[in-house]
Amino acid sequence: MFILTRIFPALLGLFLPLLAPAQVMNDPASQKLVLTILDNIYNLEFSEADGLIKQLQVRYPHHPVGPVLRATQIELQHIPLSDNKAASAQFAQAVDQGMQLARRMLDKNEKDPEAVFFMLTCHSYLASLYNNQGESLKAVGESKKAYDFIRDGFKLVDKNSDFYFTTGLYNYYVERYPIEHPIVKPIMFFFADGNMAKGLQQMDVAAQRGLFMRTVANYYLAHIQLKYESNPAKAVAYSNYLIDKFPANPLFTMIYAEALLLSGRYSEARPYVQRLKQMPGKLVPLAVSTFSGLLAEMADKKDKEAAEFYEAALRLPVNVTYTKEYQAFAYAGLARIASRARDRKKADMYYKKVLAIAQYKSLIREARAY
């Protein structure tokens, strides 16, 4: 089932003032505050974000913006969230609070674009949480609820360019997901048809022109270009925006370094691999070991050193959502090294492991071609 994962808030500047019935569609002060909070969150400046979120909730106690931003902060502060029960509970509580407040807005106006997006965000957040916790039935349930609000968003792209992201994401994945998971094809007739090329174009609009969705649109497009489109050069372009604006974010550093490595731009990638070594987080060590292996193998032509890095990577814990593909990279690297050593049996063994876990089209093609 199609799951929207890690969708960050869009339309966060469209606030509902406490003493006025009309929405403030262009409130520069409010927009600036929310953008500052998001910038703090993306750059892991959590103490700064925390204080500003409290200010926002005092100003707008009946609006979902505060709780949804709080949920966003909790998720990024405790990546991978599914590994932390206490943080997961706090996240779910914040999402539930945001959902209740958004539902009250819909009760007043069922076409409120702001409320539509917050409901979409909340259901998507819960779908992601349940999916990462292995609770697939709950994840599917939340995804179905999110779908209704995604459809409402189709009609709102002309009102705000940030809706191009959710619409484009749907158009791409509703076609891509059944290709990768044929088992779901019988139930896909419940969903409106998509268009992958159009979806990429729409997400690109959000990446270039979106106000609140620009960051997440660039991240998703970089990921899609690496995983499905096998176009690391485009991934470099999208992730370059992320690394320039949020240098302290390890996720953004990881995807930028990966895109450079897969583009063959090894000298440019090396300093970012070095930067990763100084960054915190459970996800970082596996990325560092894998990327170091790629540099040793591809740039330095030192197979023995590369093999040591790849083997070290395979001894590290894997997170299915964020780092499992790096494990596939390590197996592929060991397969190439074995092949160069004319050990076909070992190369076959490693490539079989690649095929068992890889999702990147480029890795799958490499393994099948051997």
Side-chain angles (χ1 to χ4, degrees):
M1 179 64 66
F2 166 59
I3 302 287
L4 288 174
T5 58
R6 297 186 301 282
I7 294 183
F8 296 105
L11 312 185
L12 299 180
L14 312 181
F15 295 116
L16 185 66
L18 298 179
L19 301 177
Q23 292 180 339
V24 178
M25 302 302 287
N26 294 290
D27 179 1
S30 297
Q31 289 187 359
K32 183 178 179 180
L33 177 58
V34 174
L35 285 172
T36 299
I37 293 170
L38 285 173
D39 285 351
N40 288 154
I41 292 173
Y42 291 140
N43 214 35
L44 310 192
E45 297 163 347
F46 299 122
S47 59
E48 292 86 344
D50 188 65
L52 293 176
I53 291 172
K54 289 178 181 176
Q55 291 181 29
L56 194 63
Q57 288 185 291
V58 169
R59 186 174 180 185
Y60 300 103
H62 303 300
H63 195 284
V65 61
V68 171
L69 282 171
R70 178 73 65 199
T72 304
Q73 177 185 339
I74 292 168
E75 182 178 25
L76 289 186
Q77 193 167 359
H78 299 281
I79 284 179
L81 184 64
S82 57
D83 288 355
N84 189 318
K85 290 184 178 181
S88 294
Q90 293 171 7
F91 174 85
Q93 183 179 26
V95 172
D96 183 66
Q97 183 182 0
M99 192 179 297
Q100 291 182 33
L101 293 172
R103 189 173 290 114
R104 292 176 190 173
M105 295 169 66
L106 284 176
D107 288 342
K108 296 178 182 179
N109 177 9
E110 64 180 11
K111 295 182 179 180
D112 185 337
E114 182 180 339
V116 166
F117 195 87
F118 278 108
M119 289 297 287
L120 165 58
T121 300
C122 289
H123 285 302
S124 298
Y125 269 17
L126 289 179
S128 174
L129 177 65
Y130 294 142
N131 185 55
N132 292 336
Q133 290 177 333
E135 299 188 62
S136 56
L137 290 179
K138 287 185 177 181
V140 168
E142 292 297 333
S143 295
K144 288 180 178 178
K145 294 174 184 176
Y147 174 63
D148 292 335
F149 295 104
I150 292 171
R151 288 190 304 174
D152 291 339
F154 294 167
K155 306 169 188 176
L156 299 171
V157 292
D158 292 333
K159 295 182 180 294
N160 192 298
S161 59
D162 283 318
F163 270 113
Y164 275 102
F165 172 69
T166 52
T167 302
L169 190 68
Y170 176 85
N171 275 327
Y172 185 83
Y173 272 105
V174 79
E175 296 298 321
R176 171 60 73 181
Y177 197 84
I179 294 173
E180 307 305 321
H181 304 86
I183 194 172
V184 305
K185 285 184 179 180
I187 63 172
M188 293 308 293
F189 70 88
F190 288 111
F191 296 87
D193 291 340
N195 182 308
M196 287 194 288
K198 184 177 181 180
L200 290 174
Q201 292 171 355
Q202 289 170 323
M203 284 187 279
D204 187 71
V205 172
Q208 302 299 324
R209 292 169 28 200
L211 181 59
F212 299 105
M213 293 305 288
R214 187 176 181 184
T215 297
V216 71
N218 275 281
Y219 181 79
Y220 263 85
L221 282 166
H223 177 70
I224 287 169
Q225 292 298 334
L226 291 171
K227 182 176 182 179
Y228 298 119
E229 300 299 319
S230 300
N231 194 333
K234 281 192 175 182
V236 169
Y238 287 122
S239 55
N240 185 65
Y241 166 81
L242 302 173
I243 199 68
D244 282 348
K245 191 169 177 61
F246 307 106
N249 190 309
L251 282 181
F252 297 163
T253 305
M254 284 162 58
I255 200 167
Y256 186 58
E258 178 188 337
L260 289 171
L261 288 166
L262 296 184
S263 297
R265 296 164 63 173
Y266 305 120
S267 61
E268 295 172 72
R270 199 180 297 273
Y272 291 99
V273 177
Q274 289 297 119
R275 182 190 293 186
L276 267 177
K277 293 179 181 179
Q278 311 303 319
M279 289 184 163
K282 294 181 179 180
L283 306 175
V284 171
L286 178 52
V288 168
S289 292
T290 303
F291 296 166
S292 297
L294 286 168
L295 285 173
E297 180 194 0
M298 300 298 192
D300 304 332
K301 308 301 180 184
K302 297 179 179 179
D303 280 358
K304 181 179 179 181
E305 183 178 330
E308 291 173 354
F309 280 121
Y310 290 142
E311 288 164 358
L314 293 171
R315 291 193 294 269
L316 292 168
V318 175
N319 180 271
V320 173
T321 303
Y322 294 100
T323 60
K324 193 167 184 64
E325 202 69 18
Y326 297 155
Q327 189 179 56
F329 285 173
Y331 280 127
L334 290 172
R336 291 189 297 270
I337 292 169
S339 179
R340 284 192 289 272
R342 304 194 180 201
D343 190 339
R344 185 172 183 85
K345 183 177 180 181
K346 185 177 285 187
D348 281 336
M349 176 192 71
Y350 284 130
Y351 273 133
K352 285 179 181 178
K353 291 180 180 293
V354 171
L355 290 173
I357 62 175
Q359 295 186 8
Y360 279 30
K361 293 301 182 184
S362 56
L363 277 181
I364 293 170
R365 282 197 298 268
E366 177 185 337
R368 287 177 175 169
Y370 183 72

